Amino acid sequence: GSQISCFSPTNFTGKQSAYVDTACWDSLVHHGFDAEGHAVTKSLWALKVFPYSLLVVAVLMYLPYLLWRYAAAPALHSDLLFIIDELDKSYNRSVRLVQHMRKPEQFWEEYERARRERYFEFPLLERYLTCKQHAHSLAFIYILRNILLLIFLAATCLYLIFLHLNIFFQDEFSCSIKTGLLRAEPHIPSLIPCKLVFFSVFQLISFSVGGIYVLLVPVVVYNALQLCQWDKGLLSVYEMLPAFDLLSRKMLTCPVNDLNVILLFLRANIAELTSFGRLNAVSALRETTANKEDIDTVIDFMTLLAGLEATKPKH
């Protein structure tokens, strides 16, 4: 429908009134007077392009997602699959030692044999984590994505503030059609009052978009700052396993690297790490037990792990 409604003189025909609406909408210039009585003009052209500017904003906000989706997500997905698989294997190896014991008194013998055979060592995982610690491609894309989001959010908010301060409090304006051949027509008034029909809709949309983007700014800043510190609490429970101290040795340098990015997304996909829930339960049990010495030994700890498994030991 029509975006504008002008109050043409009563002696205008229907076609003349339609021409006034079209001409005023095409020009969209407010003619008024300042405090001293001088004629001033103010362009309201930004209202005409406001719906299209929101489309541009939507495209810009989609660019960081495309950057992450095609530049980082495939490599991150494969990294997460490998690390999740290796962490579950480290847990399964510890439980398997207990499940295959014939007699409890043979535990230390089996344990020492497993240590000699490097049963609990993870050279591939260790080298992989070291490699990721010295890589920065994922971290660079992660930081770039958040910077782009902040720039686009701030630019959109400033744009909406500019519209509200200059235009979005003026839904009525005075239009002049005395141009060209109509300049010398005496029966045409110099100024015709007009009103923007969808002005309130534009205001509601701008307030909604601005409010959402303002709330998103601290979220983006928080996500970006997560890369400035190691997430030690996530995988610290795995250090209770025999010979698993890979993470504590890796988390001593600058956290802005690919390994920390992987740990951040591993936290978001912790449900895929099946062994984490069992180890976390044992860790909580150790913290709440009155006499911690009851489950402080390797035998008691690994026996608890074996008790969490549904399978029976195979003799």
Side-chain angles (χ1 to χ4, degrees), residues 189-203:
S190 57
L191 295 177
I192 297 177
C194 296
K195 182 178 179 62
L196 298 170
V197 177
F198 291 98
F199 185 80
S200 58
V201 177
F202 287 175
Q203 278 188 321

Side-chain angles (χ1 to χ4, degrees), residues 89-98 107-108 110-112 114-115 118-122 237-246 279 286 297-299 301-303 305:
K89 284 181 180 179
S90 67
Y91 169 81
N92 294 333
R93 290 175 185 176
S94 300
V95 175
R96 197 175 299 121
L97 175 63
V98 181
F107 175 83
W108 288 110
E110 295 286 338
Y111 180 73
E112 292 299 330
R115 296 280 293 199
R118 304 178 68 181
Y119 190 77
F120 293 115
E121 294 184 11
F122 313 97
V237 293
Y238 283 89
E239 296 190 0
M240 294 184 293
L241 297 178
F244 195 95
D245 57 349
L246 304 179
L279 286 174
R286 296 181 65 182
T297 65
V298 179
I299 296 178
F301 172 65
M302 296 181 68
T303 303
L305 291 181

Side-chain angles (χ1 to χ4, degrees), residues 48-103:
K48 185 182 296 186
V49 300
F50 177 70
Y52 305 101
S53 64
L54 292 182
L55 180 61
V56 173
V57 169
V59 173
L60 291 178
M61 296 302 296
Y62 197 66
L63 291 179
Y65 165 78
L66 293 178
L67 173 67
W68 183 261
R69 176 66 180 82
Y70 293 102
L76 179 63
H77 180 70
S78 61
D79 292 337
L80 289 175
L81 288 179
F82 173 77
I83 293 178
I84 288 174
D85 183 62
E86 289 298 316
L87 290 175
D88 284 341
K89 284 181 180 179
S90 67
Y91 169 81
N92 294 333
R93 290 175 185 176
S94 300
V95 175
R96 197 175 299 121
L97 175 63
V98 181
Q99 289 180 332
H100 287 77
M101 284 193 311
R102 297 181 182 277
K103 296 180 181 180

Side-chain angles (χ1 to χ4, degrees), residues 21 27 63 78 86 99 103 124 129 132 137 148 154 169 179 186 188-189 242 248-249 262 267-269 288 295 309:
D21 291 348
S27 64
L63 291 179
S78 61
E86 289 298 316
Q99 289 180 332
K103 296 180 181 180
L124 181 60
L129 295 179
K132 290 302 176 181
S137 59
L148 289 177
F169 288 104
T179 58
I188 296 179
S248 60
R249 298 203 304 269
I262 292 173
R267 166 75 73 176
N269 297 273
T288 57
I295 55 173
E309 296 298 320

